[in-house]
Amino acid sequence: RDFLGSRGLGDVYKRQWNDTSEFTYKSFGTPLEYLLYTKPYEPEKEVKSVNCNLAGVYWMYCHGLMKKGRYDEALAAIERAAELNPVDPDVYLQYAELMKLRKNPEGIKFACDKLLQCAVTKEQIGRAYFNYSYYFSEINDPIKAAALLEMCGIFYKPDLYESELQYISNCLGMGSLPPKHTSSELMSLMNEEKIQPGPSVNVIQAAYFLAKRSEEQLEFKNAKYYYCLLYTSPS
């Protein structure tokens, strides 16, 4: 399949970066993404880094195809991006938006599950819960949708937060906003649905490792960046 247009660039890239019996080719944007991939995935093949942000190229191509309503081609492009960088939060945010357009609730949930495994900022975590809320609304479970929207608000409130809250209230047939859940109620629901509460342990461990290493190497700007990532959880 030609992912990048009639000139065949997609085929060229795929031939150049096809995995072999010895190597798997990946396109990581940061050292943190490299650690997130190599630790939980434990690849059997040696990881070779592509010398450009090829995953980002496919991400942007997917975005353009979505704008044109070419959803099947967009899906192929974003799946290729995920192959090249399976720990890029932007890939799964885009994947979720595509699944919304394709009216595929289970695809939305898949994207949310993957996003929480690699999310490194409060915004990314909040947007994962926002999309979980959207998923529950799509499968006609407004009570859980309201709870996941609450989880979203703990970390980050996107522009559509208030309108989504009002939509859920209307689905519940309530004249006012849904009642708030306690922390224990939210955690109980998360456990029931097997939804990760907060940032991944792997993200925290990788950020701590890189922060300490940067500090030891006197790379204080990098150390500060990674230490800041350790505080994505609310206090």
Side-chain angles (χ1 to χ4, degrees):
R1 180 190 296 271
D2 178 5
F3 289 101
L4 295 178
S6 59
R7 291 174 294 175
L9 291 176
D11 288 334
V12 172
Y13 279 129
K14 284 181 72 66
R15 286 196 299 272
Q16 186 173 1
W17 306 116
N18 273 342
D19 287 0
T20 68
S21 58
E22 298 178 83
F23 306 115
T24 181
Y25 290 94
K26 301 299 176 190
S27 173
F28 301 116
T30 66
L32 181 61
E33 289 177 354
Y34 176 84
L35 282 182
L36 287 178
Y37 175 74
T38 54
K39 182 176 180 181
Y41 285 83
E42 296 182 351
E44 296 179 359
K45 301 176 184 179
E46 181 181 345
V47 177
K48 290 280 190 178
S49 294
V50 178
N51 57 3
C52 63
N53 186 10
L54 189 53
V57 171
Y58 281 97
W59 180 95
M60 288 186 288
Y61 187 51
C62 170
H63 182 76
L65 290 167
M66 287 168 60
K67 292 291 186 181
K68 293 180 177 292
R70 294 160 60 181
Y71 300 146
D72 289 344
E73 294 170 87
L75 178 60
I78 203 65
E79 286 178 343
R80 180 57 175 153
E83 288 175 3
L84 288 161
N85 189 352
V87 290
D88 182 352
D90 287 336
V91 166
Y92 300 113
L93 286 167
Q94 186 82 339
Y95 195 105
E97 294 309 308
L98 177 58
M99 291 300 104
K100 291 175 186 178
L101 293 173
R102 290 171 64 95
K103 309 296 183 184
N104 185 338
E106 292 307 315
I108 297 171
K109 185 177 185 300
F110 168 81
C112 293
D113 291 343
K114 299 293 286 186
L115 173 57
L116 276 185
Q117 292 173 21
C118 58
V120 297
T121 67
K122 284 187 175 183
E123 178 179 344
Q124 290 165 354
I125 295 169
R127 290 178 70 182
Y129 293 131
F130 182 85
N131 286 333
Y132 274 121
S133 177
Y134 189 99
Y135 159 75
F136 283 115
S137 290
E138 287 294 289
I139 63 171
N140 299 314
D141 194 337
I143 293 176
K144 289 179 182 176
L148 267 297
L149 195 61
E150 276 189 67
M151 284 296 298
C152 167
I154 292 172
F155 291 90
Y156 172 78
K157 288 188 176 182
D159 293 339
L160 295 175
Y161 184 92
E162 295 299 332
S163 61
E164 190 69 16
L165 183 59
Q166 188 59 56
Y167 173 79
I168 293 170
S169 300
N170 295 339
C171 290
L172 288 168
M174 306 177 71
S176 58
L177 299 180
K180 295 287 186 179
H181 294 77
T182 65
S183 296
S184 60
E185 287 172 339
L186 287 175
M187 288 305 101
S188 176
L189 185 146
M190 302 277 279
N191 289 332
E192 176 187 338
E193 294 296 327
K194 296 181 173 57
I195 296 174
Q196 179 182 299
S200 163
V201 171
N202 288 328
V203 170
I204 294 172
Q205 291 177 343
Y208 182 76
F209 171 81
L210 291 170
K212 294 297 291 183
R213 189 180 71 175
S214 297
E215 190 174 16
E216 290 166 359
Q217 296 174 348
L218 305 181
E219 297 173 350
F220 298 119
K221 183 177 179 180
N222 288 339
K224 180 180 178 181
Y225 169 77
Y226 290 118
Y227 276 126
C228 286
L229 293 182
L230 296 174
Y231 296 93
T232 55
S233 296
S235 57

